[in-house]
Amino acid sequence: MKAISIEHIQSLQLNVHHQKKERAVYFDDDNYYKIWVKNWEHSKVANHGFSSGYYDPAIAGVFKNFIIDTDDSHLGYVMKKGKVAGGSRDSWQKLINLTRDEQRKKFIKTIFSRAKKHRCIVSDMCPANVVVFKDSISLIDYEGLASFDWFFEKKPQPWEAQSRNLKKYPTPFWRDMSKYLIEYCRQCLGVDFSGNLDSELQFLKLYDAVMKKVC
């Protein structure tokens, strides 16, 4: 898998986009650089997403490289710049304005198909975590992937953080995942869904409704 050293990143002239305790995002004219503190509890998630095949250019087209330390451990990743689909609390109208109907259908079909296959899905697919780049829709924030076992049973998979600060999580854990995905389906596909994605069975019900619309 493509990777670039942290030493190379540190040699670049970058601007700060935002910083948090465990991670920071920098940018230059062409790219964003997301860098984690070493051994961050969620650092394995992005790698699992790509190595398992959940992420690829079909839904993560702006991804360029992982950033690695001298011991080959992952410290983040590089993304090409795209047009952000909105803020975290915005509607999907900006994405609708930037894209064609068939693009939005293809994107969410891939998201749902891979979620069913791998039993995991992005936890916060809000407009702030979706961009448009060169006629395609792409996810960002690749450590936002989470398993059905975590969402619905509170039991993380080995590739997920095993010890978390639960005060930072929505209650119940599936809340934001459910809200953002249902809103995408309603606004971008015209698929209304009654209830929440609070179980794998509920996810499969929405999956069936999405596939009927996009296939």
Side-chain angles (χ1 to χ4, degrees), residues 102-166:
E102 59 265 29
Q103 289 176 285
R104 298 188 295 276
K105 287 180 177 179
K106 181 179 179 181
F107 175 72
I108 200 64
K109 178 182 178 180
T110 306
I111 294 285
F112 271 75
S113 296
R114 292 182 183 175
K116 182 181 180 182
K117 177 180 178 181
H118 298 284
R119 297 190 68 251
C120 59
I121 197 163
V122 287
S123 61
D124 53 354
M125 202 185 84
C126 62
N129 287 331
V130 174
V131 301
V132 178
F133 178 80
K134 290 188 177 180
D135 203 37
S136 66
I137 303 172
S138 176
L139 292 170
I140 58 175
D141 193 27
Y142 304 122
E143 60 272 32
L145 194 65
S147 68
F148 287 175
D149 290 332
W150 168 251
F151 280 132
F152 308 135
E153 305 295 335
K154 303 180 184 179
K155 297 177 181 178
Q157 286 290 306
W159 51 269
E160 298 178 278
Q162 302 300 304
S163 177
R164 313 184 189 209
N165 178 4
L166 298 183

Side-chain angles (χ1 to χ4, degrees), residues 18 42 69 72 77-78 89 104 110-111 113-114 152 157 183 198:
H18 68 258
H42 297 289
D69 205 350
D72 291 335
Y77 47 85
V78 184
R89 298 182 180 181
R104 298 188 295 276
T110 306
I111 294 285
S113 296
R114 292 182 183 175
F152 308 135
Q157 286 290 306
E183 277 302 297
D198 56 3

Side-chain angles (χ1 to χ4, degrees), residues 54 111-117 119-121 148 152 177 181 193 196-211:
Y54 186 93
I111 294 285
F112 271 75
S113 296
R114 292 182 183 175
K116 182 181 180 182
K117 177 180 178 181
R119 297 190 68 251
C120 59
I121 197 163
F148 287 175
F152 308 135
M177 175 273 291
L181 287 169
F193 185 78
N196 295 302
L197 302 183
D198 56 3
S199 68
E200 192 164 355
L201 178 60
Q202 283 290 91
F203 167 81
L204 292 173
K205 287 181 179 178
L206 182 55
Y207 170 89
D208 288 340
V210 168
M211 291 303 141

Side-chain angles (χ1 to χ4, degrees), residues 166-181:
L166 298 183
K167 293 180 180 179
K168 299 192 303 181
Y169 284 83
T171 303
F173 298 152
W174 48 259
R175 185 193 70 191
D176 290 351
M177 175 273 291
S178 175
K179 175 179 66 177
Y180 291 130
L181 287 169

